Amino acid sequence: RDMRKEDGVVSYEEMLVRLFCFLKTINTIEDLNKFHNAKLLRFYLELAEIYIDEYQDITPIQECIVGELLRINPKSRLICTGDVSQSIFSFSGATPELMMSFMDRYSKLGHASMTYLVENRRSYDEIVDIANHILKNQKMRFDVDMVGCKGKGGTVTTMVEGNGLYKDFIISDVMNRLKTQSKVGVSVIYRENKMARELLLEFTRKRIPMNYRGPNVFSIPEMSIFEQSVGMMLNPTNTVLYPRVLPAL
């Protein structure tokens, strides 16, 4: 922190804390008139609407800031969109519990409502049915199912990633196609690039031509842990790095 102060650097987490502390000193919009940049502050705080996308990934400090903005200007309208099933920022302190408890918190402040957007226009019905089946086992979810709007698409083969069948299936499918086609266009998409390692090795062993679009060397788990460990040593107060680094050591 002392090094950052000397260099005039403020971390993202510290900016959020500073903003929250500043907002706590403001009672009403009129209190902003005492600041030399009152017009600018009013521009940012006199918000008719506050729109938050990907609300499932909001952090507690961010939620506190939203609460302060609504307290200072009760006329603001808060609109949030999100999907608890897509929460991926737990490493930053985000928790879908804040979205699950949205109605409990904001109903106390006045009128609050929730609308479920259940129509899926991207995927065929077979994919939607599989997704609904999987999501029913999710511990934290709203009790609603998606409704497919695209119609039937065809046969879908499902496999569990951990047992390696998905890799064998893809390899077998590509090899069979190569018997009758000189060129096969198959795209395999993973949520995380590291999940593609086994498949890449198999393609290499069987000499199947491929193009790989992936991360740089710092995305390799070992390099990532090393990089974050150095960051933790340089900035011990950055508690965000602790749960990422310590379990790997």
Side-chain angles (χ1 to χ4, degrees), residues 2-10:
D2 292 337
M3 292 174 63
R4 290 203 309 268
K5 189 173 181 181
E6 291 177 6
D7 296 334
V9 176
V10 179

Side-chain angles (χ1 to χ4, degrees), residues 196-228:
R197 286 184 175 182
E198 290 186 14
L199 191 59
L200 289 172
L201 289 173
E202 284 300 310
F203 275 128
T204 303
R205 289 191 188 106
K206 298 186 181 296
R207 299 182 180 180
I208 298 175
M210 62 180 173
N211 290 320
Y212 171 62
R213 294 184 181 180
N216 56 36
V217 67
F218 289 102
S219 295
I220 298 174
E222 293 79 9
M223 288 298 296
S224 179
I225 292 298
F226 173 74
E227 181 186 20
Q228 293 177 31

Side-chain angles (χ1 to χ4, degrees), residues 124-163:
Y124 289 109
D125 291 353
E126 293 85 353
I127 300 296
V128 174
D129 292 341
I130 292 172
N132 283 331
H133 177 73
I134 293 173
L135 294 176
K136 282 186 182 296
N137 297 315
Q138 184 174 309
K139 293 181 180 179
M140 196 177 299
R141 68 184 293 267
F142 294 106
D143 191 20
V144 292
D145 289 335
M146 292 182 290
V147 178
C149 300
K150 198 172 180 178
K152 299 293 183 180
T155 303
V156 176
T157 303
T158 59
M159 290 156 287
V160 179
E161 177 208 337
N163 61 19

Side-chain angles (χ1 to χ4, degrees), residues 89-101:
F89 279 84
S90 58
F91 64 86
S92 67
T95 169
E97 291 178 357
L98 291 172
M99 186 170 184
M100 295 295 296
S101 59

Side-chain angles (χ1 to χ4, degrees), residues 4-247:
R4 290 203 309 268
K5 189 173 181 181
E6 291 177 6
D7 296 334
V9 176
V10 179
S11 68
Y12 176 69
E13 291 82 3
E14 192 173 348
M15 281 193 287
L16 293 176
V17 173
R18 288 188 182 187
L19 174 58
F20 173 69
C21 293
F22 169 73
L23 294 176
K24 290 289 287 183
T25 65
I26 307 298
N27 292 318
T28 65
I29 288 290
E30 301 306 319
D31 289 348
L32 299 175
N33 294 327
K34 62 185 178 183
F35 296 98
H36 71 279
N37 55 346
K39 289 185 178 180
L40 181 62
L41 289 172
R42 291 182 76 105
F43 174 79
Y44 281 114
L45 296 182
E46 280 189 303
L47 303 171
E49 293 181 338
I50 300 173
Y51 180 79
I52 304 175
D53 193 16
E54 304 292 355
Y55 187 70
Q56 75 278 356
D57 285 322
I58 196 169
T59 64
I61 184 64
Q62 291 170 341
E63 176 68 19
C64 289
I65 290 172
V66 173
E68 288 303 308
L69 291 173
L70 294 173
R71 178 188 62 77
I72 294 171
N73 187 12
K75 295 181 180 180
S76 293
R77 182 184 179 206
L78 177 63
I79 303 171
C80 303
T81 59
D83 181 355
V84 290
S85 300
Q86 297 187 43
S87 179
I88 57 175
F89 279 84
S90 58
F91 64 86
S92 67
T95 169
E97 291 178 357
L98 291 172
M99 186 170 184
M100 295 295 296
S101 59
F102 179 89
M103 290 298 293
D104 293 336
R105 289 194 311 281
Y106 289 104
S107 293
K108 299 174 183 178
L109 301 178
H111 175 70
S113 62
M114 183 175 291
T115 301
Y116 297 106
L117 305 177
V118 298
E119 293 184 353
N120 185 308
R121 301 182 182 277
R122 175 182 296 176
S123 305
Y124 289 109
D125 291 353
E126 293 85 353
I127 300 296
V128 174
D129 292 341
I130 292 172
N132 283 331
H133 177 73
I134 293 173
L135 294 176
K136 282 186 182 296
N137 297 315
Q138 184 174 309
K139 293 181 180 179
M140 196 177 299
R141 68 184 293 267
F142 294 106
D143 191 20
V144 292
D145 289 335
M146 292 182 290
V147 178
C149 300
K150 198 172 180 178
K152 299 293 183 180
T155 303
V156 176
T157 303
T158 59
M159 290 156 287
V160 179
E161 177 208 337
N163 61 19
L165 290 178
Y166 76 99
K167 176 190 64 178
D168 297 335
F169 175 84
I170 294 171
I171 293 293
S172 175
D173 182 62
V174 172
M175 295 294 287
N176 288 333
R177 293 183 187 219
L178 285 173
K179 291 177 182 178
T180 58
Q181 305 173 40
S182 60
K183 206 171 187 180
V184 177
V186 176
S187 176
V188 183
I189 303 173
Y190 290 88
R191 180 162 186 167
E192 297 179 3
N193 286 296
K194 65 182 180 181
M195 295 168 63
R197 286 184 175 182
E198 290 186 14
L199 191 59
L200 289 172
L201 289 173
E202 284 300 310
F203 275 128
T204 303
R205 289 191 188 106
K206 298 186 181 296
R207 299 182 180 180
I208 298 175
M210 62 180 173
N211 290 320
Y212 171 62
R213 294 184 181 180
N216 56 36
V217 67
F218 289 102
S219 295
I220 298 174
E222 293 79 9
M223 288 298 296
S224 179
I225 292 298
F226 173 74
E227 181 186 20
Q228 293 177 31
S229 298
V230 173
M232 194 171 69
M233 288 187 289
L234 294 176
N235 183 13
T237 61
N238 187 355
T239 55
V240 173
L241 293 176
Y242 281 73
R244 300 187 218 169
V245 175
L246 294 183

